[in-house]
Amino acid sequence: MLLEEIKKTAQWIKEQTHDFRPEVGIILGTGLGEFGDKIDAKYILDYKSIPGFPVSTVQGHKGRMIFGEVEGRRVVAMQGRFHYYEGYTMQQVTFPVRVMQQLGIGYLFVSNASGGINTSFTVGDLMIITDHINLMPNPLIGPNMEELGPRFPDMHNCYDKTLRQKAAAIAEEENIKLQYGVYVGGTGPSFETQAEYRYFKAIGGDAAGMSTVPEVIVARHMSIPVFGVSVITNCGLSDEVGDHEDVQRQGKKAGEKMELLFKRMIKEL
Ligand code: HPA
């Protein structure tokens, strides 16, 4: 039943975009949507116009899919994602990834904002996601869609090692400082208590967030290589109350670093 919906939505998008076949899918996280403006856009579809897409109940929610080119490569970028804490089911949260797979993407790039729990991280750092810990319900719970992937998908090399190595090489060339770490995905929407940040650190986490993990699990179910980047917007274990404007400025600066990294990664895929 869900598979039919996925195929119907993908078919509708193919018609709207005259069979534009994206090679790379990109999910732009909170505050990182500006990358969308760097795309040489051919088609833009608002989520609310896409049949089968979750309907946003959040006021002023801007969500759209941008089809176009980055460095001569065909991409589809999602400006805005669906979060579990908004009340969507995990099937709804991950529906766009299923659809992008049907459109033909061979890679998924994901980004997000997160709270640093590794005490060597500072606000504005860019963290390459090396692995994750899932503290949300698993999006694969329910009947398995055999056509798309196995019942028990392997999660080794979840964040593709070759892509991570490429990122490290590019960052060195471009003089971009990178951190590396494990992303802990919780449901939110409340931020963590101090005790919870300490718990996340104790179980092996480096950054805490409320997204990304469901989409990545679903991408890996379908064997799509994943590259993930997190912008550290606050430090969970610090006593200091963050200055919001500083966080935004740092986030924007980190966003620019992320854009450069994504652009060069896409060019060299
Ligand atoms: N926790 C969870 N999600 C987040 C945080 C955080 O500290 N910062 C940005 N997103």
Side-chain angles (χ1 to χ4, degrees), residues 113-116 190-192 197 208-210 233-234 236:
S114 69
S190 52
F191 285 101
E192 290 71 23
Y197 283 123
M210 307 173 190
T233 58
N234 55 293

Side-chain angles (χ1 to χ4, degrees), residues 5-209:
E5 288 168 34
I6 294 161
K7 289 189 174 192
K8 238 164 75 182
T9 299
Q11 186 54 38
W12 183 88
I13 291 175
K14 282 179 191 169
E15 283 160 19
Q16 300 299 307
T17 59
H18 302 95
D19 219 7
F20 183 91
R21 292 190 175 267
E23 301 160 82
V24 186
I26 305 167
I27 302 177
L28 299 167
T30 310
L32 301 169
E34 275 186 33
F35 183 79
D37 306 327
K38 306 284 190 299
I39 297 169
D40 182 12
K42 301 270 190 292
Y43 306 96
I44 297 178
L45 302 176
D46 284 332
Y47 294 161
K48 61 177 185 295
S49 76
I50 305 175
F53 252 52
V55 178
S56 175
T57 51
V58 182
Q59 238 196 349
H61 177 102
K62 180 178 144 194
R64 54 189 200 162
M65 280 183 128
I66 302 170
F67 296 80
E69 288 188 4
V70 172
E71 300 286 339
R73 280 191 185 273
R74 294 185 307 279
V75 305
V76 53
M78 291 182 59
Q79 248 177 352
R81 56 151 60 86
F82 300 100
H83 298 90
Y84 186 60
Y85 63 71
E86 291 176 84
Y88 300 111
T89 65
M90 278 297 181
Q91 276 67 35
Q92 290 176 311
V93 168
T94 56
F95 188 76
V97 179
R98 297 290 194 192
V99 170
M100 289 194 285
Q101 185 264 351
Q102 291 286 316
L103 297 177
I105 63 165
Y107 297 92
L108 181 68
F109 282 28
V110 291
S111 62
N112 60 53
S114 69
I117 43 184
N118 182 321
T119 46
S120 70
F121 291 0
T122 52
V123 169
D125 276 354
L126 213 56
M127 184 188 90
I128 300 300
I129 306 176
T130 56
D131 209 340
H132 73 223
I133 294 173
N134 181 26
L135 298 182
M136 302 186 222
N138 194 298
L140 302 179
I141 291 172
N144 185 49
M145 290 182 276
E146 290 294 330
E147 191 184 321
L148 301 182
R151 173 73 291 189
F152 302 107
D154 183 67
M155 288 289 142
H156 284 81
N157 197 32
C158 195
Y159 297 83
D160 190 80
K161 194 164 183 194
T162 307
L163 294 177
R164 282 187 272 139
Q165 284 167 343
K166 184 137 237 128
I170 290 169
E172 175 125 6
E173 268 180 50
E174 299 283 356
N175 235 333
I176 299 171
K177 176 189 164 198
L178 288 184
Q179 305 282 15
Y180 299 84
V182 174
Y183 177 91
V184 184
T187 66
S190 52
F191 285 101
E192 290 71 23
T193 63
Q194 290 287 284
E196 285 164 345
Y197 283 123
R198 286 196 301 273
Y199 161 65
F200 281 16
K201 185 176 157 74
I203 61 173
D206 295 289

